[in-house]
């Protein structure tokens, strides 16, 4: 269960002022949106929004955006030292965000909600919403301003080719790796036709995370040991041989043909040939890992349950740093001044790179 936001007595006056702002904000924020959203479906301004569960943080230009519980979106322009909340047309849990630049961005989440901003989050529009499907979205990625994909639970796969004005649910039906690598153009052309046909999902595995691995090459970390790869910006996919049958929650591109995939109970695997072969990386902790990335010095940082932070120079050998409060961590972004913006159960917070140093 997600933690509830606490409201101490001393915050009552601030809440009253925030509520007044909230009542006015949605109407103003709907300007330019195709489908106005009822006022009671908008997120509320909360003075402790940064303490709520946050699931993703991205960097857009010199700014950082974090998304999470109750449709909360907060941004920072001072490398994570202070944060400002933006009102959004949803109260659904937001699970991921992606920005093309400082102005153009998307966020996705539960109830199959997709939000878009074209002005750096000053206003957000709800461009997709399908609560009746009961299929949350877990990640989103755009190849350019027009072409994007969103993925989620039970093989949920959406595609847009008009900048997110409309989204089509399509069959996620990965092909055979050998066929792809043999360059079977006929099979590839046949796969492209499937994008606009009525969907009939081939499987029900959760598609958890999109891993960008160079120009047009993508990987998907998925449930029950499934891994997928695309070499054409997400139009066609192949299933990769999997090193185990537990769930993958995320992954990191290390450069060249090297990728880390990780997930349940601290299982981490590495490929150095773009997914054809994987080998297990020994880890000092067995807690589930949810996210990670590269630090400014090129080091790898993985985050997970029980406040686990795992640091490696090259993604081969990791050492454990653990938060004293044992709160779950989801992912991070490094700052330009040697800081790290973390999101997870503690909300959003900044730590210094020195806190990960070897004791």
């Amino acid at each position: 269960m997600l933690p509830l936001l606490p409201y101490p007595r001393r915050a009552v006056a601030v809440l009253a002022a925030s509520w007044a702002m909230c009542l006015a904000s949605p109407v103003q924020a709907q300007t330019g949106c195709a489908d106005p959203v009822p006022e009671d479906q908008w997120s509320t301004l909360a003075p402790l929004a940064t303490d709520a569960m946050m699931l993703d943080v991205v960097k857009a230009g010199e700014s950082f955006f974090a998304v999470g519980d109750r449709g909360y979106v907060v941004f920072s322009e001072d490398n994570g030292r202070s944060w400002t909340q933006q009102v959004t047309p949803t109260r659904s849990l937001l699970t991921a965000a992606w920005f093309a630049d400082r102005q153009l961005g998307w966020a996705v989440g539960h109830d199959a909600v997709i939000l878009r901003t074209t002005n750096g989050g000053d206003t957000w529009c709800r461009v997709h919403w399908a609560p009746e499907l009961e299929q949350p979205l877990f990640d989103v990625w755009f190849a350019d301003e027009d072409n994007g994909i969103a993925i989620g639970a039970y093989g949920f796969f959406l595609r847009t080719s008009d900048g997110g004005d409309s989204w089509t649910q399509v069959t996620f039906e990965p092909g055979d790796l050998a066929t792809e690598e043999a360059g079977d153009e006929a099979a590839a052309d046949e796969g492209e036709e499937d994008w606009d046909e009525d969907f009939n999902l081939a499987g029900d595995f959760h598609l958890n995370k999109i891993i960008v691995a160079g120009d047009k090459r993508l990987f998907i970390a998925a449930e029950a040991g499934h891994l997928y790869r695309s070499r054409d910006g997400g139009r066609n996919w192949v299933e990769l041989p999997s090193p185990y049958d537990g769930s993958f929650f995320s992954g990191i591109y290390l450069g060249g043909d090297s990728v880390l995939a990780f997930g349940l109970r601290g299982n981490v695997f590495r490929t150095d040939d773009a997914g054809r072969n994987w080998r297990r990386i020994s880890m000092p902790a067995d807690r589930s890992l949810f996210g990670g990335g590269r630090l400014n010095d090129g080091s790898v940082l993985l985050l997970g349950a029980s406040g686990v932070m795992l640091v490696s120079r090259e993604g081969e050998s990791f050492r454990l740093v653990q938060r004293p409060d044992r709160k779950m961590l989801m992912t991070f972004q490094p700052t330009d001044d040697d800081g790290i913006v973390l999101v997870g159960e503690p909300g959003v917070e900044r730590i210094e790179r020195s806190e990960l140093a070897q004791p």
Side-chain angles (χ1 to χ4, degrees), residues 285-305:
D286 61 358
R287 301 300 183 182
S288 293
L289 300 171
F290 302 117
R294 306 296 293 269
L295 297 168
N296 292 336
D297 64 359
S299 298
V300 175
L301 174 61
L302 306 183
L303 305 177

Side-chain angles (χ1 to χ4, degrees), residues 50-53 323 325 327-329 343-349:
T50 54
D51 294 334
M53 173 76 79
R323 288 174 61 98
D325 62 11
K327 289 186 176 180
M328 177 181 64
L329 300 172
V343 293
E345 189 179 354
V348 57
E349 63 179 42

Side-chain angles (χ1 to χ4, degrees), residues 313-342:
R313 171 55 76 179
E314 301 292 345
E316 292 280 3
S317 176
F318 286 80
R319 61 181 176 83
L320 172 65
V321 180
Q322 193 160 29
R323 288 174 61 98
D325 62 11
R326 300 297 198 267
K327 289 186 176 180
M328 177 181 64
L329 300 172
M330 296 301 297
T331 192
F332 78 94
Q333 287 290 334
T335 69
D336 295 333
D337 60 352
D338 214 26
I340 301 171
V341 176
L342 301 172

Side-chain angles (χ1 to χ4, degrees), residues 166-184:
S166 62
W167 293 81
T168 302
Q169 186 173 355
V170 296
T171 303
F172 185 70
E173 202 166 29
D176 179 73
L177 177 62
T179 300
E180 181 210 57
E181 295 189 338
D184 190 335

Side-chain angles (χ1 to χ4, degrees), residues 53-177:
M53 173 76 79
M54 291 288 172
L55 298 187
D56 196 18
V57 59
V58 296
K59 188 176 184 183
E62 299 302 314
S63 301
F64 294 84
F65 289 82
V67 302
D69 194 18
R70 307 182 189 184
Y72 291 156
V73 175
V74 297
F75 76 99
S76 173
E77 295 184 322
D78 58 4
N79 285 310
R81 290 183 172 85
S82 63
W83 296 84
T84 302
Q85 186 184 352
Q86 296 175 332
V87 66
T88 66
T90 187
R91 295 185 181 181
S92 301
L93 174 69
L94 296 176
T95 56
W98 192 89
F99 273 71
D101 52 41
R102 176 59 178 83
Q103 302 301 313
L104 179 61
W106 291 266
V108 300
H110 285 205
D111 297 321
V113 69
I114 303 178
L115 308 180
R116 178 181 62 195
T117 180
T118 58
N119 55 14
D122 289 343
T123 59
W124 290 86
C125 294
R126 191 176 74 185
V127 294
H128 189 272
W129 188 57
E132 71 281 357
L133 296 179
E134 297 184 350
Q135 288 181 288
L137 290 167
F138 297 146
D139 207 0
V140 59
W141 175 83
F142 273 72
D144 50 47
E145 292 187 359
D146 294 321
N147 297 286
I149 58 175
I151 61 173
Y154 308 109
F156 197 25
F157 197 106
L158 297 176
R159 176 177 182 251
T160 181
S161 58
D162 56 13
D165 287 338
S166 62
W167 293 81
T168 302
Q169 186 173 355
V170 296
T171 303
F172 185 70
E173 202 166 29
D176 179 73
L177 177 62

Side-chain angles (χ1 to χ4, degrees), residues 206 208-209 211 220-227 242-252 259-270 278-281 283-292 301-306 308 310 318 328-330:
H206 296 345
N208 292 323
K209 190 67 176 180
I211 306 160
I220 288 179
E223 185 184 24
H226 289 274
L227 293 162
S242 178
Y244 92 133
D245 59 5
S247 289
F248 289 108
F249 297 136
S250 190
I252 299 174
V259 174
L260 286 181
F262 48 86
L264 199 65
R265 291 189 289 276
N267 281 283
V268 179
F269 295 87
R270 176 171 177 148
W278 298 84
R279 55 189 172 86
R280 184 185 296 273
I281 302 297
M283 303 301 288
D286 61 358
R287 301 300 183 182
S288 293
L289 300 171
F290 302 117
L301 174 61
L302 306 183
L303 305 177
S306 301
V308 162
L310 296 161
F318 286 80
M328 177 181 64
L329 300 172
M330 296 301 297

